Amino acid sequence: MANPNPTSGKTFVVEHLDPELEAWSSLEYYTIASECHATGAKFLLSSVPASLKLPANLQHAAGLMVETRGMEEIYADQKDKVCLLDPAASEDLCPDDGGLFDIFLFGGILGDDPPRDRTSELRKKGYQGRRLGPLQMTTDTAVRVTRMVVQDKIAVDKVPYIDHPELKISKNESTQMPFRYVQGKDGQPIMPEGMVDLIKKDSEKGLGDLL
Ligand code: SAM
């Protein structure tokens, strides 16, 4: 296992909270790893069960460090430097938080609608928390926005967002994503590569189950 202790820059930690690692999560984690790698930040995926075989795309992903240990054990002596990104926090993340915290912690949970507040599993460990505005984001979006705020110093309410985008999944059907995304340069919501195809495939499967 690589040494997760930060030497410079910020460390972004996703604590994996599910027993499995589904295709959706693997696309999100791969994207987080590549973006952190490209911007000089570190990315650690913690609490990955030793019995879990990493999906192929994560096995050699540049910028990805994987740990079986949990956050509390890894950063036991740096708890005051950890900021939990928490949809229920009373304060929003701001650019100056980049000076207060070195480690930004996220729940490795798939989004759900309505949100089940599984981030509470990390909140009860007593980390300082910050919110990224009022709407639920996917985990890769939450990491992207945090980087934009603490590294690029953009205020959280000045990030260009697209809320609840409609995705066309076939000629006659579309589905609305119950999340907030960052708007890319092409005007589209930024999503991991392969995610739209996976959403299409999953919704065809859903339809297949009904037939
Ligand atoms: N429904 C979820 C829950 O049960 O808490 C939200 C999970 S969200 C898909 C995954 C992670 O992204 C959260 O654990 C949190 O760290 C981060 N996140 C997403 N939206 C956020 C927001 N508006 N403010 C702060 N953190 C957020």
Side-chain angles (χ1 to χ4, degrees), residues 21 25-31 33 43 45 54-62 64 66:
L21 205 161
S25 302
S26 75
L27 293 183
E28 292 189 357
Y29 296 165
Y30 182 84
T31 301
F43 173 45
L45 184 60
L54 276 187
N57 68 334
L58 295 183
Q59 281 175 15
H60 306 288
L64 174 68
V66 179

mmCIF file of all heavy atoms in Angstrom, residues 21 25-31 33 43 45 54-62 64 66:
data_model
loop_
_atom_site.group_PDB
_atom_site.id
_atom_site.type_symbol
_atom_site.label_atom_id
_atom_site.label_comp_id
_atom_site.label_asym_id
_atom_site.label_seq_id
_atom_site.Cartn_x
_atom_site.Cartn_y
_atom_site.Cartn_z
ATOM 1 N N LEU A 21 -18.311 -2.907 -4.733
ATOM 2 C CA LEU A 21 -17.894 -1.694 -5.452
ATOM 3 C C LEU A 21 -18.515 -1.787 -6.845
ATOM 4 O O LEU A 21 -18.026 -2.499 -7.715
ATOM 5 C CB LEU A 21 -16.362 -1.632 -5.496
ATOM 6 C CG LEU A 21 -15.738 -0.248 -5.645
ATOM 7 C CD1 LEU A 21 -14.277 -0.264 -5.220
ATOM 8 C CD2 LEU A 21 -15.887 0.314 -7.036
ATOM 9 N N SER A 25 -19.707 3.277 -9.036
ATOM 10 C CA SER A 25 -18.654 3.792 -8.154
ATOM 11 C C SER A 25 -17.301 3.692 -8.835
ATOM 12 O O SER A 25 -16.471 4.586 -8.684
ATOM 13 C CB SER A 25 -18.582 3.006 -6.840
ATOM 14 O OG SER A 25 -19.815 3.073 -6.180
ATOM 15 N N SER A 26 -17.067 2.609 -9.588
ATOM 16 C CA SER A 26 -15.741 2.454 -10.182
ATOM 17 C C SER A 26 -15.500 3.560 -11.216
ATOM 18 O O SER A 26 -14.397 4.073 -11.321
ATOM 19 C CB SER A 26 -15.547 1.058 -10.772
ATOM 20 O OG SER A 26 -16.255 0.940 -11.962
ATOM 21 N N LEU A 27 -16.536 3.959 -11.947
ATOM 22 C CA LEU A 27 -16.366 5.068 -12.904
ATOM 23 C C LEU A 27 -16.109 6.378 -12.151
ATOM 24 O O LEU A 27 -15.264 7.189 -12.541
ATOM 25 C CB LEU A 27 -17.605 5.222 -13.794
ATOM 26 C CG LEU A 27 -17.901 4.091 -14.777
ATOM 27 C CD1 LEU A 27 -19.122 4.428 -15.629
ATOM 28 C CD2 LEU A 27 -16.708 3.817 -15.686
ATOM 29 N N GLU A 28 -16.847 6.576 -11.049
ATOM 30 C CA GLU A 28 -16.659 7.814 -10.270
ATOM 31 C C GLU A 28 -15.248 7.856 -9.676
ATOM 32 O O GLU A 28 -14.556 8.873 -9.761
ATOM 33 C CB GLU A 28 -17.692 7.906 -9.136
ATOM 34 C CG GLU A 28 -19.117 8.110 -9.641
ATOM 35 C CD GLU A 28 -20.106 8.427 -8.521
ATOM 36 O OE1 GLU A 28 -19.701 8.440 -7.346
ATOM 37 O OE2 GLU A 28 -21.288 8.675 -8.836
ATOM 38 N N TYR A 29 -14.797 6.746 -9.093
ATOM 39 C CA TYR A 29 -13.477 6.730 -8.445
ATOM 40 C C TYR A 29 -12.365 6.918 -9.476
ATOM 41 O O TYR A 29 -11.376 7.592 -9.217
ATOM 42 C CB TYR A 29 -13.264 5.424 -7.666
ATOM 43 C CG TYR A 29 -14.212 5.206 -6.498
ATOM 44 C CD1 TYR A 29 -14.357 3.946 -5.899
ATOM 45 C CD2 TYR A 29 -14.960 6.254 -5.974
ATOM 46 C CE1 TYR A 29 -15.220 3.746 -4.826
ATOM 47 C CE2 TYR A 29 -15.839 6.052 -4.900
ATOM 48 C CZ TYR A 29 -15.956 4.790 -4.341
ATOM 49 O OH TYR A 29 -16.811 4.597 -3.282
ATOM 50 N N TYR A 30 -12.537 6.309 -10.655
ATOM 51 C CA TYR A 30 -11.512 6.449 -11.698
ATOM 52 C C TYR A 30 -11.387 7.926 -12.094
ATOM 53 O O TYR A 30 -10.284 8.456 -12.258
ATOM 54 C CB TYR A 30 -11.886 5.588 -12.910
ATOM 55 C CG TYR A 30 -10.847 5.655 -13.998
ATOM 56 C CD1 TYR A 30 -9.719 4.849 -13.958
ATOM 57 C CD2 TYR A 30 -10.973 6.567 -15.046
ATOM 58 C CE1 TYR A 30 -8.731 4.940 -14.941
ATOM 59 C CE2 TYR A 30 -9.995 6.669 -16.028
ATOM 60 C CZ TYR A 30 -8.885 5.856 -15.965
ATOM 61 O OH TYR A 30 -7.910 5.957 -16.922
ATOM 62 N N THR A 31 -12.535 8.581 -12.236
ATOM 63 C CA THR A 31 -12.542 9.998 -12.623
ATOM 64 C C THR A 31 -11.893 10.868 -11.550
ATOM 65 O O THR A 31 -11.116 11.773 -11.853
ATOM 66 C CB THR A 31 -14.008 10.454 -12.853
ATOM 67 O OG1 THR A 31 -14.542 9.625 -13.864
ATOM 68 C CG2 THR A 31 -14.107 11.891 -13.258
ATOM 69 N N ALA A 33 -9.638 9.944 -9.401
ATOM 70 C CA ALA A 33 -8.194 9.677 -9.421
ATOM 71 C C ALA A 33 -7.530 10.451 -10.556
ATOM 72 O O ALA A 33 -6.522 11.137 -10.341
ATOM 73 C CB ALA A 33 -7.935 8.176 -9.576
ATOM 74 N N PHE A 43 -5.248 11.364 -4.041
ATOM 75 C CA PHE A 43 -6.554 10.726 -3.839
ATOM 76 C C PHE A 43 -6.371 9.366 -3.195
ATOM 77 O O PHE A 43 -5.633 8.515 -3.702
ATOM 78 C CB PHE A 43 -7.280 10.575 -5.185
ATOM 79 C CG PHE A 43 -8.557 9.775 -5.079
ATOM 80 C CD1 PHE A 43 -9.455 10.003 -4.044
ATOM 81 C CD2 PHE A 43 -8.867 8.795 -6.012
ATOM 82 C CE1 PHE A 43 -10.630 9.266 -3.933
ATOM 83 C CE2 PHE A 43 -10.044 8.050 -5.915
ATOM 84 C CZ PHE A 43 -10.918 8.293 -4.872
ATOM 85 N N LEU A 45 -8.500 6.086 -1.622
ATOM 86 C CA LEU A 45 -9.756 5.363 -1.433
ATOM 87 C C LEU A 45 -9.541 4.481 -0.204
ATOM 88 O O LEU A 45 -8.719 3.559 -0.238
ATOM 89 C CB LEU A 45 -10.031 4.528 -2.687
ATOM 90 C CG LEU A 45 -11.349 3.772 -2.748
ATOM 91 C CD1 LEU A 45 -12.538 4.722 -2.654
ATOM 92 C CD2 LEU A 45 -11.430 2.969 -4.053
ATOM 93 N N LEU A 54 -10.592 -5.337 -6.840
ATOM 94 C CA LEU A 54 -10.833 -4.040 -7.480
ATOM 95 C C LEU A 54 -11.235 -4.236 -8.942
ATOM 96 O O LEU A 54 -10.630 -5.056 -9.645
ATOM 97 C CB LEU A 54 -9.563 -3.202 -7.467
ATOM 98 C CG LEU A 54 -9.237 -2.380 -6.226
ATOM 99 C CD1 LEU A 54 -8.024 -1.505 -6.513
ATOM 100 C CD2 LEU A 54 -10.397 -1.531 -5.769
ATOM 101 N N PRO A 55 -12.234 -3.482 -9.429
ATOM 102 C CA PRO A 55 -12.594 -3.550 -10.844
ATOM 103 C C PRO A 55 -11.376 -3.215 -11.713
ATOM 104 O O PRO A 55 -10.499 -2.450 -11.282
ATOM 105 C CB PRO A 55 -13.671 -2.483 -10.997
ATOM 106 C CG PRO A 55 -14.115 -2.141 -9.628
ATOM 107 C CD PRO A 55 -13.043 -2.527 -8.679
ATOM 108 N N ALA A 56 -11.348 -3.777 -12.937
ATOM 109 C CA ALA A 56 -10.172 -3.649 -13.814
ATOM 110 C C ALA A 56 -9.729 -2.201 -13.996
ATOM 111 O O ALA A 56 -8.537 -1.905 -13.968
ATOM 112 C CB ALA A 56 -10.493 -4.286 -15.157
ATOM 113 N N ASN A 57 -10.696 -1.275 -14.159
ATOM 114 C CA ASN A 57 -10.292 0.110 -14.457
ATOM 115 C C ASN A 57 -9.570 0.773 -13.275
ATOM 116 O O ASN A 57 -8.873 1.765 -13.450
ATOM 117 C CB ASN A 57 -11.504 0.961 -14.882
ATOM 118 C CG ASN A 57 -12.482 1.197 -13.746
ATOM 119 O OD1 ASN A 57 -12.574 0.406 -12.816
ATOM 120 N ND2 ASN A 57 -13.230 2.278 -13.807
ATOM 121 N N LEU A 58 -9.723 0.212 -12.061
ATOM 122 C CA LEU A 58 -9.080 0.836 -10.893
ATOM 123 C C LEU A 58 -7.746 0.172 -10.552
ATOM 124 O O LEU A 58 -6.992 0.692 -9.737
ATOM 125 C CB LEU A 58 -10.004 0.767 -9.667
ATOM 126 C CG LEU A 58 -11.313 1.559 -9.771
ATOM 127 C CD1 LEU A 58 -12.094 1.448 -8.455
ATOM 128 C CD2 LEU A 58 -11.044 3.030 -10.084
ATOM 129 N N GLN A 59 -7.484 -0.984 -11.188
ATOM 130 C CA GLN A 59 -6.298 -1.735 -10.763
ATOM 131 C C GLN A 59 -4.994 -1.005 -11.021
ATOM 132 O O GLN A 59 -4.058 -1.127 -10.246
ATOM 133 C CB GLN A 59 -6.301 -3.126 -11.392
ATOM 134 C CG GLN A 59 -7.249 -4.028 -10.607
ATOM 135 C CD GLN A 59 -7.418 -5.396 -11.226
ATOM 136 O OE1 GLN A 59 -6.640 -5.796 -12.080
ATOM 137 N NE2 GLN A 59 -8.460 -6.092 -10.816
ATOM 138 N N HIS A 60 -4.926 -0.234 -12.118
ATOM 139 C CA HIS A 60 -3.680 0.504 -12.397
ATOM 140 C C HIS A 60 -3.976 1.978 -12.628
ATOM 141 O O HIS A 60 -3.288 2.629 -13.408
ATOM 142 C CB HIS A 60 -2.967 -0.095 -13.613
ATOM 143 C CG HIS A 60 -2.724 -1.570 -13.460
ATOM 144 N ND1 HIS A 60 -1.797 -2.082 -12.599
ATOM 145 C CD2 HIS A 60 -3.348 -2.635 -14.027
ATOM 146 C CE1 HIS A 60 -1.838 -3.399 -12.650
ATOM 147 N NE2 HIS A 60 -2.774 -3.763 -13.499
ATOM 148 N N ALA A 61 -5.012 2.484 -11.990
ATOM 149 C CA ALA A 61 -5.393 3.877 -12.246
ATOM 150 C C ALA A 61 -4.336 4.836 -11.695
ATOM 151 O O ALA A 61 -3.980 4.753 -10.512
ATOM 152 C CB ALA A 61 -6.752 4.169 -11.608
ATOM 153 N N ALA A 62 -3.857 5.735 -12.556
ATOM 154 C CA ALA A 62 -2.864 6.725 -12.115
ATOM 155 C C ALA A 62 -3.507 7.601 -11.046
ATOM 156 O O ALA A 62 -4.670 7.997 -11.169
ATOM 157 C CB ALA A 62 -2.433 7.582 -13.295
ATOM 158 N N LEU A 64 -4.304 6.848 -7.985
ATOM 159 C CA LEU A 64 -5.180 6.203 -6.994
ATOM 160 C C LEU A 64 -4.366 5.434 -5.952
ATOM 161 O O LEU A 64 -3.547 4.588 -6.291
ATOM 162 C CB LEU A 64 -6.140 5.233 -7.698
ATOM 163 C CG LEU A 64 -7.026 4.388 -6.767
ATOM 164 C CD1 LEU A 64 -8.040 5.267 -6.040
ATOM 165 C CD2 LEU A 64 -7.769 3.308 -7.546
ATOM 166 N N VAL A 66 -4.967 3.000 -2.603
ATOM 167 C CA VAL A 66 -6.055 2.221 -1.999
ATOM 168 C C VAL A 66 -5.606 1.732 -0.629
ATOM 169 O O VAL A 66 -4.469 1.300 -0.459
ATOM 170 C CB VAL A 66 -6.423 1.017 -2.900
ATOM 171 C CG1 VAL A 66 -7.537 0.192 -2.272
ATOM 172 C CG2 VAL A 66 -6.841 1.487 -4.278
#
